[in-house]
Amino acid sequence: MQSLIHARGLVKRFGDFTAVDGIDLDVAPGEAFGFLGPNGAGKSSTMRMIGCVSMPSSGELRIFGMDPVRDGVRIRGRLGVCPQLDNLDPDLTVRENLTTYARYFGLSRAEARLRADELLDFAQLRDRAASQVEPLSGGMKRRLTIARAMVGDPALVLLDEPTTGLDPQARHLLWERLFQLRRRGVTLVLTTHYMDEAEQLCDRLVVMDGGRIVAEGSPRSLIAAHCTPEVVELRFAEEGDHAGKLAGVGRAEALPDRVLLYVDDGDDAVAEVHRRGLAPSGVLVRRSTLEDVFLQLTGRTLVE
Amino acid sequence: MVSAMVAARLSPVRVGAVMGRNVGALRSGPAYWLVVVSGFFEPVLYLLSIGVGVGALVGRLEVGGGRVVDYAAFVAPAMLAVSAMSGALAETTFNFFFKMKYAKTFEAILATPVRPVEIAVGELAWALVRSAVYTGAFLVVMVAMGLTGGWWALAAFPAAMLVALAFGGVGMALSTLMRGWQDFDLLGTGQFALFLFSGTFSPVSDYPAVMEAVVVATPLFHAVELVRGLAIGQVGWGLVGHAGYLVVMAVAGLAFAARRIQRTLCA
């Protein structure tokens, strides 16, 4: 099947700074695809190129088989974009935000009204339809932004950090809405730095760092390839070289507050820890997550 | 103009949608209306205080070709041009800048099929609507006070619209260069200087030669001359030159603004 998004050697430069440094991508119709990476990894720049707002500096990019440079208008007509920061229109009501946006896609007034009604239900905002945007909660604004992205009945929806800054309830409600879109066959492309979000939503993802793709695969396969099945977290009351005493048990990583032990079987490892005479004050055995993969691949240095 | 639109492949539907957004914003509350209404009264107050008040001291004025008019009839068309200018500028400077820089309105629009040039044209067309309301109302005042009449009043209206396009286009271009609200103080000062010295309250031929040369180069002078010529029925080939100056302003301003929107928001 033809790729919805096809990129080869895609590069975006801003002056001397290279934000995206030659990436290859293929996203198939119906897929939920994620970009994972720390701040400054090049995720948003890539999304803006896919959204046909920003033009590639070099490399090849095709969206729906079309060239963004020549067919930007047609491509954008089939896209829905949910930006990182809500840019809802503060001068308009909730409903007008949808109807006005529908007009940008060329819908007639009557079509726009119908569409707005559907989407108000989808976003569970019908009782706030006449409200201004400002008093809405963060979760409501996000849902409205996603509903707005849907006005053109897009085949592909781009979501840039869709749940950043939301409380857990709002996040789960939003995920549930995104599942609904997937069930309708809409292709989702999202960026996130929440590992649980990537595991929840994405069939396939790439990890970006420094403008390059450093890993690619399904959440499970990435964990399998770049991490052990289980992780043991050990906390110690007194300081000391605890990690040094764990040689041979598994790869140990000493953090300021705890030691992480990457192992195949967590319970076996804990037993071994005790056999060696170590007395951790806290022990947690857990399955490894994308977060472990992510930190493995991009390092623990704080990126700001 | 039509051929330029075809060349730029403008979609009337999308341009209309950009304007429609502003109609929606108009319904959002009384704050916007207050601003719009206050904008109408300013030139009326000037007309009454200076045109009529000071006019009583000045008496009648020779306007060339042996014609003599009341001072108020001399000032009124200038105020008409000024109201066309300030109506368009209010929309393409403050409001435009806010939408571009703070509300991220244009960023949201550019994610849709709408193109930067369609935003620029839609916003300018909207500024023209606001300006049309001001100048239309002001013309009614002029006719009611007997300061212009009949067909000349009708001829002055499209001239005022051209003034609005010219200042709207340039205002929008300047807005794309503004760094913050402090720059608007500069714009306000410039606008006030134009207002005082563009042959608005006295014929430019009364100015010292150097100053006259400077004034003749500035835009409001051409706007005032064009509108006044038509409002008082003093028509000559010179009006074509004034109109040409304004057309260049409108087209250049619009093209520059569209280019800047593209470069700033589609980087």
Side-chain angles (χ1 to χ4, degrees), chain A residues 83-98:
Chain A
Q84 194 172 345
L85 298 173
D86 287 317
N87 53 19
L88 295 163
D89 202 318
D91 294 334
L92 303 176
T93 65
V94 167
R95 174 190 291 277
E96 284 168 346
N97 259 282
L98 296 174

Side-chain angles (χ1 to χ4, degrees), chain B residues 184-199:
Chain B
F184 282 91
D185 286 343
L186 220 59
L187 183 77
T189 308
Q191 207 179 324
F192 193 60
L194 289 182
F195 169 71
L196 290 177
F197 296 105
S198 295

